[in-house]
Amino acid sequence: MTDSQSVSNQPVSNQPILKQPLFWLLLICAVNFFAFLGGHTLWDVDEPNNAVCAREMLLGHNWWVPMFNGDYRFDKPILIYWLMMPLDALFGVNEWTARLPSALSMTALVVVIWAMTRRLMSAFAPAMRDHASLIAAGTFATALHIIVIARAAVPDPLLMLALGIALPALLISYLEQSQQEQAQQKQTQQKQTQQPSKQMPGLLIAAYVAIGFGTLAKGPIAGLMPLLIVAAFLTLMGDWKNWRLFHPFKGAVIALAVALPWYIAVGVMTHGVWLEGFIFHHNIDRFTDPLQGHRGFPGLYILSVLLGWFPWTGLLAAMLWFGSWRLQALRDEPVRLFMLCWIGVYILFFSIARTQLPNYVLPLFPAAAMLMAFGWAHGCEALRQRGMRWLIWVALLLSLGIVIGGGLGLEKQWPGEGFYILAMLPMVLVSGWLVWKRKALSAVSMRFVLAAGMAVSIALLAGWSVKGIDHNKISQTLAVKATEAGFDGAELATFRYFQPSLLFYHGGRLPQLNDIGEMADWLVAGKAVVMAQDALEELPKEIIPYLIVHARVHGMYARKWLLLVSLQPLQRK
């Protein structure tokens, strides 16, 4: 059976389990997303920010208002905390429960991409349906940035899942309704009297429900991006007359019915303070000003997508470069046009924004996966061969770059630990072997070998490398030392230093002392402080001899020495 044929003519449900694509996709997810998921401490700052908020809400029996360190947390809406809190209650507060919602979301998205691609291919290339859907879901599940975000306690995977459902569902509904209307018009020959269906397809309802949940995950961006993408698509298709096929007004009602009750509730409960902080500071200000120094640079998102798609970067580049770009040709390939709109709108929108981070464009990765699959299904044999050459050569060059550059970077950051990058050596060996054997192997075999090599490297990274360098993250060490010294969650503060992970591992509250007077009062009360060592210069010289240093560690994020100190008890005469 050749590449251009369907993998099997049997219905998927009737195939033996070892021949079912979903079995292999879920197996890939089990390794790439779940293996050693809780095997290392949280990465500052986003992971502990979210994990602490969920714990604080759970302990406070608060299911409505995001809280962090005793104050409102404006950064993200409620959905990530709603998913973390039951897991914390069932399995305890730990790294695994914090990251599990992301791993589950990405696994669900892999299945969604597989199912959506199958449905799209059923109309345009039924013979390639099974093969194309496996390419889309398989490459997505083994792409580097996807694996990283699936292992992070952040809300981005929830938005990705929401838009990964919504946007393909919008496209499928539009295409199927258009085909139905054209068929009816041909049968009745009454084009001028045809009226669009007033009944919303079930898939379209699911799309707007997903947008509602996306708004609960990340905010208004979940509604804005589909609007811009669909608008760009209809404009390039020259088909604004069929905008009603999307049922936008009914859809808006459905999405608002999902998301608005919580936004109203949190607004009422905080007298509008939370909504003001979230909408104005964490949405509008992020677009208009570079917050926290995240300025980016021209081409950041193009570079981050190509590198984040490793090891499939070469194949994606080939399908983009050699695929059709003429408008008329794209109108004949609406799936490719829609995916290009999805990718292009995301990159353009966030390139205009002043605050720039690679994670912002992660929701376009499902489009990249489906674009690759669609290009493979519709491409000629010459295009496929060219795409495979690009795939293996770029995979080899990038894997060499990761090993050499990553090793040098690790060695510079932590001398003597650069060898941990050797976890990526399987990818160098696999891609090099594929370059050598490229004429003797089929495209299916080469993709399978690359995916297997990636799974081995990820298992080594998660189970060996990341655990090996984990000792450089010192928050857990400081928390343990503070507890051993007898300082509980109400007796530790920070001065000239703060990391959310310290709050996560020590518990309670972690006040940030702002001046010497506050620090002196705190120490005199018999409590402890984590401070930067260079801040000792600010203390009165008379107090230095009476300080007890319980721990001295080098902060990975602060890039300076940190001290855990308290004051010797005063001797009463």
Side-chain angles (χ1 to χ4, degrees), residues 222-234:
L224 177 62
M225 296 313 293
L227 177 63
L228 295 177
I229 291 165
V230 168
F233 173 70
L234 289 177

Side-chain angles (χ1 to χ4, degrees), residues 110 151 183 339 416:
V110 169
R151 293 173 163 274
M339 300 308 162

Side-chain angles (χ1 to χ4, degrees), residues 264-285:
I264 292 174
V266 76
V268 171
M269 295 176 73
T270 64
H271 305 286
V273 173
W274 192 92
L275 292 178
E276 181 180 356
F278 173 65
I279 293 174
F280 286 96
H281 182 62
H282 285 283
N283 281 270
I284 296 175
D285 285 352

Side-chain angles (χ1 to χ4, degrees), residues 474-495:
I474 46 76
S475 288
Q476 190 174 49
T477 300
L478 287 172
V480 170
K481 292 291 186 181
T483 301
E484 290 175 349
F487 301 106
D488 62 23
E491 297 176 320
L492 185 66
T494 63
F495 180 69

Side-chain angles (χ1 to χ4, degrees), residues 167-215:
L167 286 162
L170 290 169
L171 174 62
I172 291 169
S173 297
Y174 164 82
L175 294 175
E176 291 182 350
Q177 290 180 90
S178 297
Q179 290 174 351
Q180 291 172 5
E181 286 196 356
Q182 290 172 6
Q184 291 173 0
Q185 290 167 5
K186 289 180 180 179
Q187 290 175 359
T188 61
Q189 296 183 349
Q190 294 178 352
K191 180 177 180 180
Q192 68 279 5
T193 62
Q194 289 296 311
Q195 297 294 326
S197 173
K198 294 183 179 180
Q199 184 177 358
M200 287 184 71
L203 197 59
L204 201 54
I205 295 173
Y208 289 114
V209 169
I211 289 173
F213 279 107
T215 307

Side-chain angles (χ1 to χ4, degrees), residues 36 40 43 130 262 274 326 336 344 346 357 379 410 496 532:
F36 309 106
H40 59 91
W43 296 95
D130 294 339
W262 176 77
W274 192 92
R326 291 185 302 105
R336 177 178 171 85
Y346 246 96
L357 287 168
L410 282 176
R496 301 288 190 264

Side-chain angles (χ1 to χ4, degrees), residues 530-550:
V530 173
M531 60 182 295
Q533 181 173 295
D534 55 20
L536 286 174
E537 300 174 358
E538 302 180 41
L539 299 181
K541 293 182 180 180
E542 296 79 6
I543 202 175
I544 300 297
Y546 298 96
L547 286 179
I548 301 174
V549 178
H550 301 278

